[in-house]
Structures are given as C-alpha cells and as structure tokens.
Amino acid sequence: SSGINAEYGGAEIIDCGEIDFGDDDIEINVLEAGEEQKNELLLDNTTTRNKIVDELYELSAFLSSRREELFKHSETILSEIPDCPPEIQTTQLETVEKMMTEVDVPLGKLTNEKMRHLLLLKNSEKYIDRLTDSMHSQLRLCDKMEDSIEEMKQRISEAERTYEEGEPKMQRAIETTKLLKSCVETELSKKYKGRPVRIMGDINTL
C-alpha cells in the first residue's frame, strides 16, 4: 500500500498500514517439554543458556520499545487524522503485548530463584557440598537444641522437687519467726510498763 508521509505542525504522520514488523506472520514459539534431552543439554551449557537469556532480554526490550512507538504513533494519528480507524493501531498494540508475554514467561522461568538453585544443584559440586554442610550444621544445631530442652526440663523438675521439699521447712521457719516476734513484742511491752509495742518492717509480710 502507498504510505502517507506528511507533516502537520512538525509531527511526521505515518500511514497505519506501514507500521508492521516486516512480515505479516510473526510468531514466537515457546518450546514445550517435547525434546527433553535436547532442551536439558541446552540449559546445562552455561554459555548457551546465558546467550538465550541475553537474547530474550534484548527481544523483550525491543518489544517494549516497539509498543511505546506504536502507542505514540497511535496518539499522533488519532489527533491529526480523525478518520483513521483506531482498530488498526489497537490490533498492532495487542499483537506486540501478546508477544511480550510470550517472551517474558520463558525469561522468568529461566531467571527465577528456583531455576538458579536447580542449575547449581545439577552443575556445581561445590554448591552441593556447601548445601550439604549447611544441612548437617542445621541438624547439629537441632540436636543441641533438643539437648538444651531436655536439660532445661531436668532443671525445672529439680527446682520443683526442691521447692516441694523445702516448703514445709519454710512454713515452720515462718511460724517460728512470727512466734519470736510476738515474744519480743511482749517482753518489750513489759519494759515499757505494758505499753503496746509493734515491730515494724518486712517481718510483717510473712
């Protein structure tokens, strides 16, 4: 189709039919779990895997930029050429956004934390050793905590037994102290010609 190139107030207007990606049938195919062995070999190779991730990042950035361009062109065309059908620009925007989703999904799966751990587990013996040491350390810590809990239970049991054994003695000591207090108060009262005497202090809290 013939393109319309004109300038309105300094803004270049581009025919809706010329905003495309070069081919009418652009499609991004995300490989499913079909050729598992081949896909595993690709992901096992660090260089190849990083190259795939880099290319996906570049494609995602390109599509994001393309979406912004389409949005700006759409606003310009709708403002300068009111008769231009908005469905044309909307369709292209939806196509780009769909492609962005198809890129972001595998990119997210290749770069998330779970994938990183899985690759390290499969390819790094040092990582496995560190993880094993960490797990053994946690198990040892659990054993120590269990020993500490058992020791605390024993101490609590001993303290309860000591309290039970000492409570009768303490009661007898309290009764004896109260009796001595009463005797002292009586003797002091006699010295002061029968005037009442009361001993003050913590002894009265017994």
Side-chain angles (χ1 to χ4, degrees), residues 110-127:
L110 285 173
T111 57
N112 62 24
E113 194 69 12
K114 181 180 179 180
M115 176 62 73
R116 188 181 74 84
H117 284 300
L118 289 174
L119 291 172
L120 285 172
L121 284 171
K122 189 169 185 178
N123 300 321
S124 176
E125 293 183 2
K126 291 183 179 179
Y127 179 78

Side-chain angles (χ1 to χ4, degrees), residues 163-182:
Y163 175 79
E164 291 175 355
E165 293 175 353
E167 187 176 12
K169 296 179 181 179
M170 184 175 62
Q171 289 297 328
R172 287 195 296 270
I174 291 173
E175 292 173 1
T176 301
T177 301
K178 289 181 177 180
L179 181 60
L180 288 173
K181 172 179 174 291
S182 179

Side-chain angles (χ1 to χ4, degrees), residues 29-168:
N29 291 323
V30 180
L31 292 178
E32 300 295 338
E35 302 175 357
E36 294 185 2
Q37 186 174 2
K38 182 178 178 180
N39 292 338
E40 284 185 8
L41 292 174
L42 285 174
L43 293 178
D44 284 343
N45 188 306
T46 303
T47 303
T48 304
R49 184 176 65 253
N50 290 340
K51 185 177 180 181
I52 292 173
V53 171
D54 290 342
E55 290 180 352
L56 286 173
Y57 273 124
E58 291 180 6
L59 183 55
S60 178
F62 168 76
L63 291 173
S64 178
S65 176
R66 187 60 174 164
R67 181 181 61 179
E68 293 299 321
E69 291 177 5
L70 288 172
F71 183 76
K72 291 178 181 178
H73 285 310
S74 176
E75 287 186 332
T76 303
I77 292 171
L78 291 176
S79 63
E80 301 292 346
I81 309 179
D83 295 334
C84 181
E87 292 81 4
I88 297 177
Q89 291 294 327
T90 302
T91 301
Q92 290 187 335
L93 281 172
E94 290 176 351
T95 301
V96 172
E97 289 174 351
K98 181 181 178 182
M99 293 171 69
M100 289 181 66
T101 301
E102 292 177 345
V103 171
D104 290 341
V105 169
L107 182 58
K109 291 182 178 179
L110 285 173
T111 57
N112 62 24
E113 194 69 12
K114 181 180 179 180
M115 176 62 73
R116 188 181 74 84
H117 284 300
L118 289 174
L119 291 172
L120 285 172
L121 284 171
K122 189 169 185 178
N123 300 321
S124 176
E125 293 183 2
K126 291 183 179 179
Y127 179 78
I128 294 175
D129 292 339
R130 288 198 304 269
L131 193 61
T132 302
D133 292 340
S134 176
M135 293 178 66
H136 286 162
S137 177
Q138 293 294 326
L139 289 173
R140 288 193 295 269
L141 181 61
C142 288
D143 292 338
K144 289 182 179 179
M145 291 299 296
E146 289 180 355
D147 294 339
S148 298
I149 292 173
E150 189 62 30
E151 183 179 353
M152 287 301 298
K153 287 181 179 179
Q154 293 178 1
R155 291 184 178 181
I156 292 173
S157 179
E158 291 176 359
E160 290 176 347
R161 186 169 58 254
T162 301
Y163 175 79
E164 291 175 355
E165 293 175 353
E167 187 176 12

